[in-house]
Amino acid sequence: MADRLELYHAEPLSNSLKVLAAIHEKGVPFVSHPINLRRFEQHEPHFLAINPAGQVPVLVHGECTIVESTVINEYLDESFDGPPLRPGTPYGRAQMRVWTKFVDESFRPALSFLAWARQMPTLVGALPEGEFERRLARIPLREKRDKWAMAARGGFTPREIEGWRQNLIEATGRIEQALAAGDWLVKDGFSLADIAVFSIANSLSSGYAEIMNEEIAPRTMAWLARMRTRPGVAAALAVPTPPSPVEKPPATPSDVSG
Ligand SMILES: N[C@@H](CCC(=O)N[C@@H](CS)C(=O)NCC(=O)O)C(=O)O
């Protein structure tokens, strides 16, 4: 009997969207375990027993637990039948990994930091007095604890915020330029590069339309539309968002999760 495949994930944004899109594109049956980040479920003992870092996504395959969205996606592609999500040549795979590395090291952090700066004070304001501090104390990763505390008190500097905005502007230019050569980011065809970049660009185009729009990035907008109509990506995007403790959700997509 095949090993059971389970995915712990949040709503279809950022790293969770990245893995949900890949698993649906592969067409692999899996057991879904939604984790409600808006209620800080990722820091509760039942989830810390699965990932002591207190982060989603996490893939559990039989006896193996795999973390890190980019690693999970390669693992899924390597382990299961279904349409290949990695290019067939070493050069193609190298190009794909340049994109996934760029997403993990620059594109996603820039959007996450901006989203925290924008949304965290509202989220904290909606919690009962002292609750945020109690929840903060339970975050296992020191670096994340410090960044969230900084965001909650509006502590990021204008220079930092402008730097992240510039990263997003540069990312948009980079994607737009790559798409001049074809329909997908790597010439060989649709791959994990498209999935990784989409997991962030999808939120960027809706939450920061002044940075990514039809006028500035027409090829990117057409590629986003192509991505959204892929059955696997569409299935990932249809995963429901759990309820938030914030009475009136922010107008922009909640990428506070990152
Ligand atoms: N490098 C990790 C980052 C995982 C990560 O930051 N996950 C976010 C959701 S996108 C999370 O769990 N945030 C909640 C928290 O850190 O408390 C990956 O790519 O999987």
Side-chain angles (χ1 to χ4, degrees):
M1 200 179 90
D3 281 331
R4 186 176 155 97
L5 190 66
E6 299 173 72
L7 181 64
Y8 294 81
H9 62 87
E11 64 237 61
L13 287 169
S14 195
N15 296 308
S16 288
L17 173 57
K18 196 200 283 183
V19 172
L20 284 165
I23 205 164
H24 280 289
E25 282 286 331
K26 279 310 267 186
V28 190
F30 69 100
V31 178
S32 159
H33 297 287
I35 299 295
N36 192 336
L37 299 184
R38 292 154 186 242
R39 294 196 170 143
F40 303 92
E41 193 186 345
Q42 73 275 24
H43 305 140
E44 287 175 13
H46 79 91
F47 183 71
L48 292 177
I50 295 157
N51 182 10
Q55 290 189 321
V56 288
V58 179
L59 188 74
V60 179
H61 186 204
E63 299 293 302
C64 308
T65 298
I66 302 126
V67 295
E68 288 298 328
S69 54
T70 298
V71 176
I72 293 173
N73 277 2
E74 290 222 31
Y75 178 89
L76 283 169
D77 197 41
E78 219 175 312
S79 310
F80 296 97
D81 293 337
L85 300 179
R86 289 168 304 161
T89 63
Y91 182 55
R93 288 193 292 280
Q95 287 181 303
M96 176 197 86
R97 290 184 185 120
V98 170
W99 280 110
T100 56
K101 195 169 159 64
F102 163 70
V103 169
D104 290 342
E105 292 177 358
S106 168
F107 197 22
R108 187 188 75 88
L111 188 65
S112 292
F113 284 133
L114 281 182
W116 297 346
R118 203 192 246 194
Q119 297 172 19
M120 196 68 89
T122 317
L123 191 71
V124 174
L127 293 173
E129 179 77 26
E131 183 60 18
F132 182 68
E133 288 67 24
R134 273 192 290 282
R135 289 174 186 247
L136 205 59
R138 286 165 45 189
I139 299 180
L141 297 182
R142 178 193 48 78
E143 214 181 320
K144 185 152 273 185
R145 208 164 49 231
D146 292 350
K147 292 286 183 203
W148 279 23
M150 181 78 98
R153 60 171 186 269
F156 292 133
T157 65
R159 194 189 159 97
E160 282 174 313
I161 291 178
E162 188 46 34
W164 297 320
R165 277 182 58 81
Q166 284 305 322
N167 282 0
L168 296 181
I169 291 167
E170 285 165 23
T172 302
R174 182 170 170 164
I175 299 163
E176 187 65 10
Q177 194 183 357
L179 291 168
D183 279 357
W184 308 109
L185 293 172
V186 176
K187 212 164 93 240
D188 306 34
F190 172 77
S191 73
L192 292 178
D194 297 286
I195 288 180
V197 174
F198 177 78
S199 70
I200 306 305
N202 191 45
S203 295
L204 181 58
S205 67
S206 53
Y208 297 81
E210 75 281 10
I211 293 180
M212 186 178 276
N213 58 51
E214 283 290 346
E215 210 175 309
I216 295 171
R219 288 189 291 262
T220 306
M221 298 303 282
W223 165 82
L224 283 170
R226 261 196 311 285
M227 286 293 290
R228 290 187 198 110
T229 57
R230 294 185 66 92
V233 174
L237 289 172
V239 170
T241 297
S244 164
V246 178
E247 297 275 313
K248 246 174 88 198
T252 51
S254 175
D255 261 346
V256 159
S257 55

